[in-house]
Each structure stands twice: as C-alpha cells, then as structure tokens.
Amino acid sequence: MKFCENFDPEKDIPSLSGKIILITGGTAGVGKATILALAKHGPDHIYFTGRNARSAEEVVNEVATASPRVKTTFVQCDLSSLASVNEAAKQLRLQRLDVLIANAGIKAETPALSKNGYEVHFATHHLGHALFIKHLLPIMLQTAQQPGADVRIVLVTSLGYRLHPNEGIVFNDLKTPQEGLGFNGWRAYGQSKLANVLYAVEVSRRYPEITSVSVHPGVVGTDMVANLSFVQRAIIYVTNLGRILTPEEGAYNQLWAATHKKEDIVNGEFYEPVGKPGRRDKLSKDQNVAKKLWEWTEAQLAAV
C-alpha cells in the first residue's frame, strides 16, 4: 500500500515559529511521533500530557537532542479523571495556545467505570477532552483575535466510530459500564469516537473563529493494539492486512490537520488519511445529536 504520497511532514509542515501547541497522550505511540515531527519545524513550546512520567522524560530528551531550541513541558494527566484534567489545566498557565491535539485514548477495554462513574471509553475520549477544551477555550479565543492567528482543535477519532449503538449515543446509560452494548467494549469505543466527530462539528458551529476538525489516524500498530486480546488483535490485523501503519505514519493525518493551510480545511469536517473528507454515517451528521451531546456535556461539567 502506498501511503501518504501527497503529504511529507518533513517538507509540507511550514515553519511553526511562535506557535504554542498542546497534545494529550504524548508519551508514546502516535502522540510521541506527532511531538517529534512538530518539533522539527520550530514551534516555541510544545506541552504534552500523559500518565507515565518516565516515558515523558524520554520524549523531552529526544526533543532536546533533535530540536534543542524547542521547549517542551510535560503535564501529568489521566484523561479518564475529571479531577486530574482540572489539575493539569491549572498547571498550564498559558499566555496563548495555537493548536490543541486531543490524541489520548484507550481501545476496547473491558466494561468499566471511570473514577467519576462514567463508562471508561466515553470518560477518556470525550468527557476528559471536553473538560480540557472548556478550560482552554478562553485562551484559544483570545489567541484567535491576534493578527495572523490560526487557532485549531484536532480531535482524534477513528473509523471505528461506526461501531456505535443504533441510537448513536445512549445518554441514559453513560453512567453504567454498558455491558449490554456487547462485542467486548467495541460498541462503547465506537460510541465515544462518534462523540469526537460530533463534538468537532459542534465546536466549529459555536466557535467558528477556531478551526475544529476530527481525524482518523488509520490503523496503527501501537501498544493500544498490542495490549488487546489475541482474538481482537487477530480481527484487526486480518481485516487490515497490508494497512497497519507505524506510529510515525499514524501521526500524518493529525499533523496535516494541525499545520496545513487553513483555506484547504473545512471547519467541522472529519478527515481520513491524509486530508481526505471521511465517510460519515447519518448519525455523525445529525445536528440534533451534536447539540444534545453538547448540552449533556455542559451539564456534566457544570458540577465539576
């Protein structure tokens, strides 16, 4: 399979001088690859979150070696815990923010609840990132008012969003482990990834001065896949034979969305690798579901 023949991060990412960038889940895999690729183009500062401080130190050292002029700061954060997100946001103390890449994720965990009592996929992929966005929106809107600003939010989703339940998002069951959704966590995973697509649409509608998109990275051979059961790994590898990407390749689509010229990007769109408008089902285009998700999310976060 010829991959990304029209996008080369080395050549196609412009100078990022003056940019402040934040990436969630940056200690390994696609997140780490994204940081290293962006650092080569000279942003002023890259902030990144994760749970593993030792892995984070390795990322900081790699950036310092390859791109010594770029500052990096690690902020420990568990996206499934709203208290952890609140604490991480307080530590940032940003004066501007040009790009937020919501990359952190989990895949097909067994049914479980987060520390706050939400289904764990939904807590990690949607609610934790939504709280981060809520904290960061004021500084991003302020940045967007500055001359020449180009402020972006990139929500990393998956074509797996199409595994969502027939209802799309089962709002009444989001505070249960959702065992009844079946298929060993994949339905819950799809539901949470549908939320990413819908949330990008709704953020773009409410805050058009910020370019907000969702992206599918492709099927990437990271630890998220390696840690699945044998049967789950077999399904992924057999159905994607010849299409499993390295973390560096898996970073291409979010790198494109974060750096490509703004006039070529449709605000609120869902993109497949690389930069191609993605295949969306009816529910992922439903404005009423997007609005309901926004209102449900605001109600949950109001109590945090």
Side-chain angles (χ1 to χ4, degrees), residues 216-292:
H216 168 53
V219 180
V220 186
T222 64
D223 287 344
M224 279 175 59
V225 173
N227 291 335
L228 296 175
S229 71
F230 173 79
V231 172
Q232 290 173 328
R233 290 199 310 275
I235 291 170
I236 288 175
Y237 286 123
V238 169
T239 57
N240 291 278
L241 198 61
R243 294 182 292 168
I244 302 295
L245 309 178
T246 66
E248 289 72 26
E249 292 170 331
Y252 280 17
N253 207 22
Q254 58 203 58
L255 289 168
W256 177 89
T259 65
H260 189 67
K261 52 188 178 181
K262 185 177 181 178
E263 55 266 33
D264 288 348
I265 298 176
V266 177
N267 207 355
E269 185 59 273
F270 162 58
Y271 287 100
E272 295 182 41
V274 168
K276 300 173 184 176
R279 294 162 282 174
R280 292 172 63 185
D281 67 13
K282 184 177 179 180
L283 278 166
S284 71
K285 299 177 182 178
D286 192 317
Q287 294 183 353
N288 290 326
V289 178
K291 182 174 181 288
K292 185 175 181 179

Side-chain angles (χ1 to χ4, degrees), residues 28-226:
V30 172
K32 177 181 177 179
T34 300
I35 292 170
L36 296 176
L38 290 172
K40 293 178 181 180
H41 299 273
D44 278 13
H45 205 136
I46 299 175
Y47 294 84
F48 68 102
T49 75
R51 292 178 292 181
N52 190 322
R54 180 174 296 179
S55 295
E57 186 177 357
E58 293 174 4
V59 175
V60 170
N61 291 337
E62 286 188 49
V63 173
T65 299
S67 308
R69 294 184 181 181
V70 177
K71 294 173 68 176
T72 55
T73 298
F74 170 65
V75 179
Q76 198 155 27
C77 181
D78 176 358
L79 263 293
S80 71
S81 164
L82 298 179
S84 181
V85 174
N86 277 335
E87 183 58 32
K90 288 177 185 176
Q91 291 180 42
L92 287 169
R93 303 181 186 277
L94 299 170
Q95 299 303 307
R96 69 176 289 143
L97 181 59
D98 298 274
V99 179
L100 167 63
I101 302 176
N103 166 81
I106 58 175
K107 184 173 285 184
E109 299 281 345
T110 54
L113 294 176
S114 71
K115 293 177 182 178
N116 301 98
Y118 298 94
E119 191 282 318
V120 68
H121 292 90
F122 210 82
T124 304
H125 295 149
H126 172 65
L127 205 54
H129 280 126
L131 181 56
F132 240 131
I133 290 170
K134 186 180 180 77
H135 279 295
L136 297 171
L137 266 173
I139 191 62
M140 298 189 85
L141 291 169
Q142 183 179 314
T143 304
Q145 294 172 6
Q146 299 177 17
D150 179 6
V151 180
R152 306 188 188 189
I153 296 174
V154 180
L155 288 160
V156 178
T157 182
S158 167
L159 278 181
Y161 85 82
R162 291 181 293 184
L163 295 170
H164 62 71
N166 291 336
E167 304 94 317
I169 297 174
V170 188
F171 289 97
N172 291 337
D173 289 340
L174 289 175
K175 289 189 175 181
T176 74
Q178 300 197 358
E179 294 99 332
L181 291 179
F183 203 44
N184 200 23
W186 285 103
R187 296 277 182 184
Y189 173 81
Q191 175 178 246
S192 69
K193 288 301 182 179
L194 173 63
N196 294 148
V197 177
L198 292 168
Y199 213 65
V201 172
E202 195 65 8
V203 172
S204 73
R205 187 180 73 82
R206 292 172 182 268
Y207 303 99
E209 55 269 67
I210 297 174
T211 301
S212 303
V213 299
S214 57
V215 298
H216 168 53
V219 180
V220 186
T222 64
D223 287 344
M224 279 175 59
V225 173

